[in-house]
Amino acid sequence: MITLVTGGTGFVGSHVATYYAHRGNQVICYDNLSRARLLKKSINEMYNWNYLKKFSNIRLIQDDIRDLDKLKKIVKDVDVIIHTAAQTAVTTSIQDPRIDFEVNALGTFNVLEAARLANRDQAIIYCSTNKVYGNNVNKIPVIERETRYEFKDGFQNGVPETYPIDLCEHTPYGCSKITGDLYVQDYAHLYGLKTAVFRMSCIYGIRQFGVEDQGWVAWFTIATILNKPITIYGNGKQVRDVLYVSDLVNAFDAFLRRKDQIRHAVFNMGGGPKNTISLLELLKMLQEITGKKPKITFGGWRPSDQLIYVSDISKAEKALNWKPQVDPKAGVERLVNWVGENQRILN
């Protein structure tokens, strides 16, 4: 099986690539390396790019999903497409909505068109986001506790896939991702593509180069270990259900093993109600694990920030016979160990 991973040298993409490489698949990592510009590093300094070079069955291609002609040449020979490439920061989407649209909406359209034209009965996994629900999530009544927000009665299992996505405020990021999300669904219905949309909550793990704008679990971990200051936007009681990256990849694979039976589906994907943590609680956990306490300052709330988002993962659990295996403390400990071993490249 030939597996194409768009955004293959990114955090999620690199874990998908190594998962299938270890299983003997031929893997193509297709990436424009925009992360290098974000991290202000050269290509030769990109950790995941160099890490993936160790695998003889991983082919690295530096190119852009916005170029349909080049994408078609690659897609025509693959069996599976796992589309992780994206502009991932809400703040960037607000500052530069055009690039956000071009990458997330047009780029996803190009992936789908390339697959349609290839006519190879390919399976496509699309990495969507909880941000598609926009500010509607903040309409759910909450209870404010000492260190976190909690949903009131009625949402104990989290937000389901049927929750409304319209008639509310979205960021440009949320708009561009939901555009791709809907196109993936429509191409499944209209052209018969086998697709799975994973609306992801907070995914974290090793080889994640978190920054203030994106990847908050990794960023808090890196900042704590490297004695960097942290700014919390809001009061820090925001809650997310966190999912360790290996559990996410296992969910992808579970769909691919059932693609002929399921054919197309939308899944909310995160740690679910049993794996939630607030910003303040993560900082406390990091202090307990590392013995360090970073300097914290508080800023204003970010646009459309969700006070609490927890995925209802019951559909994925049932349809994919899948459950998260790594709890937050175990996952954060793995991340702490990786950051500690790689302080030089993270500075």
Side-chain angles (χ1 to χ4, degrees):
M1 185 170 78
I2 302 176
T3 303
L4 171 64
V5 186
T6 68
T9 67
F11 166 51
V12 170
S14 69
H15 282 273
V16 171
T18 56
Y19 179 92
Y20 286 106
H22 280 304
R23 280 150 185 77
N25 289 14
Q26 294 299 311
V27 179
I28 301 171
C29 289
Y30 193 90
D31 201 308
N32 70 354
L33 297 182
S34 59
R35 193 74 177 173
R37 293 191 294 275
L38 179 63
L39 298 174
K40 298 179 181 178
K41 294 182 179 293
S42 69
I43 293 174
N44 291 333
E45 294 176 300
M46 291 303 290
Y47 182 93
N48 286 336
W49 178 270
N50 293 316
Y51 182 83
L52 296 174
K53 282 182 179 179
K54 302 173 185 177
F55 293 82
S56 61
N57 55 339
I58 293 180
R59 177 185 172 196
L60 298 173
I61 297 177
Q62 185 183 352
D63 230 317
D64 201 305
I65 57 172
R66 289 171 291 180
D67 190 327
L68 178 58
D69 290 335
K70 290 182 179 178
L71 194 58
K72 285 192 296 186
K73 293 176 183 177
I74 301 298
V75 168
K76 67 181 179 64
D77 296 322
V78 307
D79 303 299
V80 170
I81 302 169
I82 302 179
H83 179 36
T84 76
Q87 191 296 111
T88 57
V90 170
T91 49
T92 299
S93 79
I94 294 169
Q95 295 162 1
D96 192 349
R98 175 176 289 277
I99 193 75
D100 180 83
F101 174 84
E102 289 176 350
V103 175
N104 293 347
L106 179 59
T108 299
F109 175 80
N110 285 344
V111 170
L112 293 166
E113 267 294 271
R116 180 181 72 86
L117 296 171
N119 195 27
R120 282 177 51 90
D121 193 32
Q122 296 157 327
I124 302 172
I125 288 174
Y126 173 65
C127 292
S128 188
T129 172
N130 60 16
K131 296 297 187 292
V132 301
Y133 299 111
N135 204 46
N136 275 335
V137 173
N138 284 332
K139 297 174 184 177
I140 301 172
V142 301
I143 301 169
E144 184 175 353
R145 305 293 190 191
E146 183 179 355
T147 62
R148 60 162 48 205
Y149 292 105
E150 294 178 0
F151 285 139
K152 281 189 175 180
D153 295 345
F155 285 85
Q156 295 93 332
N157 292 330
V159 176
E161 292 84 357
T162 54
Y163 196 71
I165 59 177
D166 58 352
L167 299 177
C168 70
E169 177 187 352
H170 292 83
T171 61
Y173 172 74
C175 290
S176 66
K177 291 298 287 186
I178 201 170
T179 299
D181 185 315
L182 293 173
Y183 262 96
V184 172
Q185 295 181 59
D186 209 54
Y187 266 58
H189 291 291
L190 189 59
Y191 301 114
L193 299 182
K194 297 171 184 175
T195 68
V197 172
F198 286 85
R199 292 176 176 167
M200 303 189 305
S201 186
C202 175
I203 313 300
Y204 72 105
I206 64 171
R207 304 206 308 274
Q208 184 177 25
F209 292 81
V211 294
E212 186 176 72
D213 291 343
Q214 193 268 330
W216 68 277
V217 175
W219 165 240
F220 280 18
T221 305
I222 292 167
T224 296
I225 292 174
L226 299 185
N227 302 309
K228 295 184 177 182
I230 293 174
T231 300
I232 291 177
Y233 296 92
N235 60 15
K237 296 183 181 182
Q238 301 98 305
V239 167
R240 299 292 183 267
D241 60 317
V242 296
L243 183 69
Y244 195 76
V245 65
S246 61
D247 284 330
L248 173 69
V249 178
N250 286 336
F252 290 171
D253 191 59
F255 168 75
L256 292 176
R257 285 185 275 110
R258 295 165 175 81
K259 65 183 185 300
D260 294 330
Q261 292 76 42
I262 298 176
R263 296 201 64 84
H264 55 82
V266 175
F267 299 107
N268 282 354
M269 181 54 45
K274 295 181 181 179
N275 295 286
T276 64
I277 194 167
S278 74
L279 277 64
L280 295 178
E281 290 165 354
L282 175 61
L283 288 169
K284 181 180 178 182
M285 181 185 292
L286 286 168
Q287 185 177 357
E288 291 170 352
I289 294 171
T290 68
K292 291 189 170 187
K293 187 175 182 179
K295 180 182 177 182
I296 306 294
T297 57
F298 290 84
W301 288 87
R302 284 174 164 168
S304 298
D305 192 8
Q306 296 160 336
L307 297 183
I308 171 173
Y309 182 87
V310 179
S311 308
D312 181 343
I313 58 175
S314 57
K315 180 180 177 180
E317 288 177 329
K318 183 177 180 180
L320 304 178
N321 190 28
W322 166 91
K323 285 183 182 293
Q325 300 299 314
V326 183
D327 65 63
K329 189 169 189 298
V332 171
E333 285 176 342
R334 293 183 191 181
L335 183 54
V336 165
N337 290 336
W338 181 80
V339 171
E341 293 167 358
N342 293 277
Q343 292 186 47
R344 182 183 59 82
I345 63 171
L346 290 163
N347 254 317

